[in-house]
Amino acid sequence: MFFCSSTSLPAKLINGGIAGMVGVTCVFPIDLAKTRLQNQRSGMDCLIKTVRSEGYFGMYRGAAVNLTLVTPEKAIKLAANDFFRHQLSKDGGKLTVFKEMLAGCCAGMCQVTITTPMEMLKIQLQDAGRLAAQQRVMPSVVALKMGGTSAVLSRAYNTSPAPQVIRVSAMEITRELLRTKGVTGLYRGLGATLMRDIPFSVVYFPLFAHLHQLGQHSSEDPSVPFYWSFTSGCLAGSIAAVVVSPCDVVKTRLQSLKKGANEETYNGVVDCVRKILRKEGPGAFLKGASCRALVIAPLFGIAQVVYFVGVGELKCTWLIGGSSSVQLYLT
């Protein structure tokens, strides 16, 4: 991972922002599937049903929130990790695994300031389609259950209008949360987000650093091919994503404000874990794990390629008047 000496922070912010926007655009439909799978008890062919009932753009519900906030979120995460790695290696020595994990831990703690409200809003919008679909099928389900009752009751029920699905925007959700719960409403699930993002960063960044190092040509030439950066980011990201998947399930359940038929409400992390274990079993904590791995792998692979190409460094060079060189350090 790279950073430039004189313009390191702007370069990292640009790199992180571009990586985040490109990555989110590519993998958002899979992220939507992950959220919906984590929020329900039974599995379903999620993306097929989403396209069938909501159209192609239904797969991008909540994408605007992510595209708006993923720039500062990814920028903070990647820049903070670089910053703490640099601070911890000021003695000139090579970072130990412990120091690499400590830098990742600090980066994870920094990013939740943006991640928590971003995912809070995104989850409401992503899950809206699933809840709307439940509302639409409820009349037919009840009608089937009433199959043996009188024709009058069946006719009276069937002539009632179908429930109207009201679509809300991220701004409406934000205003309502601020009005009813204040700023803390946007940070619902903060504890679970910390439980997920700190271990993720602790696993991801040291693992990526070591995988990345394996691709170096030699000790004299520490550069690696761009495809190796991409592969290292994908592999480290997918492993870290699966490791913290149980925490992601808990976070998603806690941040879902509206519940479907027969779905539980939770009073904190401990209550959520206890109810999932009792009613759905340990396997429920891995719901959406494969989707999450498919989301995170290309997201961080793309991030590392953006760092490899040095888009931020090129932009920094242009902004400072086309300086002849930008010194790069490999961390």
Side-chain angles (χ1 to χ4, degrees), residues 58-230:
M59 295 191 296
Y60 282 88
R61 276 179 179 263
V65 172
N66 251 34
L67 288 170
T68 302
L69 297 179
V70 76
T71 298
E73 192 248 6
K74 283 291 176 287
I76 288 172
K77 186 186 190 79
L78 297 173
N81 179 69
D82 270 2
F83 173 79
F84 288 115
R85 285 175 67 90
H86 182 60
Q87 295 300 313
L88 291 169
S89 62
K90 276 192 170 179
D91 56 1
K94 184 179 179 180
L95 282 177
T96 63
V97 174
F98 174 75
K99 285 186 175 181
E100 288 180 335
M101 294 172 71
L102 182 59
C105 174
C106 294
M109 291 178 67
C110 291
Q111 79 167 85
V112 297
T113 56
I114 300 295
T115 303
T116 306
M118 177 183 77
E119 297 218 345
M120 180 71 181
L121 297 173
K122 181 196 74 172
I123 286 170
Q124 313 316 313
L125 296 170
Q126 282 184 328
D127 212 34
R130 182 181 68 88
L131 297 174
Q134 278 193 3
Q135 289 179 359
R136 284 195 294 269
V137 302
M138 281 300 288
S140 60
V141 171
V142 177
L144 287 172
K145 289 181 179 178
M146 293 171 58
T149 59
S150 69
V152 175
L153 286 174
S154 297
R155 188 164 54 249
Y157 184 83
N158 291 331
T159 55
S160 62
Q164 186 177 3
V165 179
I166 302 174
R167 295 197 175 189
V168 294
S169 66
M171 286 302 298
E172 289 172 329
I173 296 171
T174 302
R175 282 196 295 267
E176 181 63 19
L177 283 171
L178 290 174
R179 185 182 66 81
T180 57
K181 300 182 183 297
V183 176
T184 56
L186 289 172
Y187 282 87
R188 180 187 173 105
L190 175 62
T193 306
L194 285 167
M195 281 173 50
R196 182 198 67 175
D197 287 349
I198 290 177
F200 178 91
S201 296
V202 166
V203 172
Y204 172 79
F205 285 112
L207 182 56
F208 169 77
H210 288 275
L211 290 172
H212 192 263
Q213 193 174 26
L214 294 175
Q216 293 178 357
H217 294 105
S218 64
S219 56
E220 292 78 21
D221 181 13
S223 63
V224 299
F226 81 93
Y227 65 81
W228 190 266
S229 290
F230 178 77

Side-chain angles (χ1 to χ4, degrees), residues 36-44 130 253 280 287:
R36 293 188 178 182
L37 288 170
Q38 287 179 338
N39 262 333
Q40 60 188 20
R41 292 195 182 181
S42 58
M44 68 173 184
R130 182 181 68 88
R253 298 280 183 100
E280 301 174 60
K287 280 186 173 183

Side-chain angles (χ1 to χ4, degrees), residues 313-324:
E313 285 79 358
L314 294 173
K315 185 68 173 176
C316 288
T317 304
W318 179 78
L319 287 174
I320 61 177
S323 63
S324 58

